[in-house]
Amino acid sequence: MAEVEKTVVLVTGGSRGIGAAVCRKLAGLGHTVLVNYANNSSAAQSVVHDIEAVGGQAVAVQGDVQHEADILKLFGEVDRLGRLVGLVNNAGVVDHAQRVDEMTVDRLTRMFSINLVGTFLCAREAVKRMSTRHGGKGGAIVNLGSAGSKLGSPGQYVDYAASKGAIDTMTVGLALEVAEEGIRVNAVRPGIIDTDIHASGGAPDRVAQLQSKLPMKRAGTADEVADAILWLMSEQSSYTTGAILDVSGGRAILP
Ligand code: NAP
């Protein structure tokens, strides 16, 4: 009997928050999920454990997306596991609230290396494997944008907002570049989602402070964003490419 081909999806930053929710849901599509993380191996192992507990397959792999060598290592692991069919470019960071006139080059380099260059390099490696132009069989890429790309995040992190603005543009450009090569490229643009990212930016109470000002009077959950990503990764969205889906409970939905 012919061996069934194993299909693989890579989720960068899959150990916590939105990425972890995406990994848990993607496993249900029957793919091996490569759960990437930067530092928190126990969180990544716990995602793997949850997936295995319901009969899915997952592997945790360390790799910092600001380093090209780490990204190449990640994709080497993908190749070892099976055929890549999807990439969720989820790894992203914020930083402490600062005005642009206070920002150091180190801060800016880190912000753009992780949120933007890392996203580009992962997309590059995914296209090399999935594009029919390179002998692949197609696939899907979902990028994580942010409502910040429309708000600009003044006095807080204009650098973060700008990195996410570039993600919007890259999503459209790459979608058109590979549209006839079997790859769909889309983005979700979350609003305020209740994850650790706010604490890592020095504002652990950001969700509590902002929720009464949000249209739905509450923050979103990682699962609510993951459900939108799951749809964009699945065949249910087979005619959707270049789309940027606001998952923001109505925050920043106007252009
Ligand atoms: P989070 O809870 O802070 O989790 C971040 C994840 O990314 C973790 O798994 C972390 O790994 C990983 N990560 C961070 N830096 C990395 C690097 N250099 N290389 C590889 N992995 C790295 O974040 P989140 O809130 O789920 O956000 C996920 C994405 O959604 C980000 O792109 C973010 O900008 C976007 N987003 C979030 C919100 C929100 O309100 N939460 C709103 C708009 C957009 P470790 O566990 O190893 O640290």
Side-chain angles (χ1 to χ4, degrees):
M1 205 170 73
E3 206 178 311
V4 179
E5 185 187 38
K6 282 198 173 172
T7 53
V8 183
V9 288
L10 167 61
V11 181
T12 65
S15 49
R16 293 184 291 115
I18 295 167
V22 170
C23 287
R24 291 187 178 98
K25 288 178 191 285
L26 276 174
L29 296 183
H31 308 304
T32 300
V33 182
L34 207 155
V35 181
N36 160 247
Y37 65 98
N39 300 301
N40 196 331
S41 72
S42 62
Q45 289 303 341
S46 136
V47 174
V48 170
H49 178 268
D50 291 350
I51 291 171
E52 289 176 343
V54 293
Q57 293 194 313
V59 177
V61 183
Q62 193 280 333
D64 185 332
V65 300
Q66 67 186 304
H67 301 308
E68 184 179 24
D70 284 20
I71 289 172
L72 295 178
K73 181 185 78 175
L74 270 181
F75 279 86
E77 189 64 16
V78 166
D79 296 339
R80 198 185 63 77
L81 291 169
R83 177 169 66 87
L84 185 71
V85 295
L87 163 69
V88 182
N89 257 324
N90 168 79
V93 292
V94 295
D95 211 322
H96 289 72
Q98 262 186 347
R99 287 169 49 94
V100 171
D101 55 16
E102 298 168 323
M103 291 178 185
T104 63
V105 70
D106 285 350
R107 171 185 169 125
L108 293 169
T109 301
R110 170 180 173 270
M111 183 70 75
F112 287 100
S113 298
I114 296 174
N115 291 5
L116 188 55
V117 180
T119 297
F120 263 84
L121 293 178
C122 288
R124 180 190 76 190
E125 294 305 311
V127 168
K128 282 199 225 166
R129 287 161 176 78
M130 300 192 304
S131 165
T132 54
R133 180 188 174 101
H134 297 292
K137 294 184 181 171
I141 296 174
V142 176
N143 297 323
L144 267 289
S146 168
S149 71
K150 286 192 274 182
L151 297 168
S153 309
Q156 187 161 29
Y157 29 61
V158 174
D159 51 350
Y160 171 79
S163 74
K164 294 299 187 178
I167 294 296
D168 292 354
T169 307
M170 181 271 214
T171 299
V172 172
L174 182 61
L176 293 173
E177 203 165 277
V178 297
E180 61 176 286
E181 298 170 21
I183 304 177
R184 298 180 300 105
V185 185
N186 294 288
V188 295
R189 208 157 34 191
I192 303 291
I193 310 301
D194 195 0
T195 70
D196 299 342
I197 201 170
H198 310 290
S200 65
D205 51 358
R206 187 154 186 259
V207 168
Q209 276 180 356
L210 281 178
Q211 55 192 4
S212 66
K213 301 189 183 86
L214 299 174
M216 288 189 181
K217 306 296 174 206
R218 69 169 180 88
T221 66
D223 272 331
E224 288 175 309
V225 181
D227 279 329
I229 295 171
L230 190 73
W231 178 70
L232 290 168
M233 291 291 285
S234 76
E235 277 304 303
Q236 267 69 54
S237 62
S238 54
Y239 201 54
T240 302
T241 196
I244 302 174
L245 182 56
D246 288 310
V247 187
S248 64
R251 178 173 162 89
I253 52 173
L254 297 175

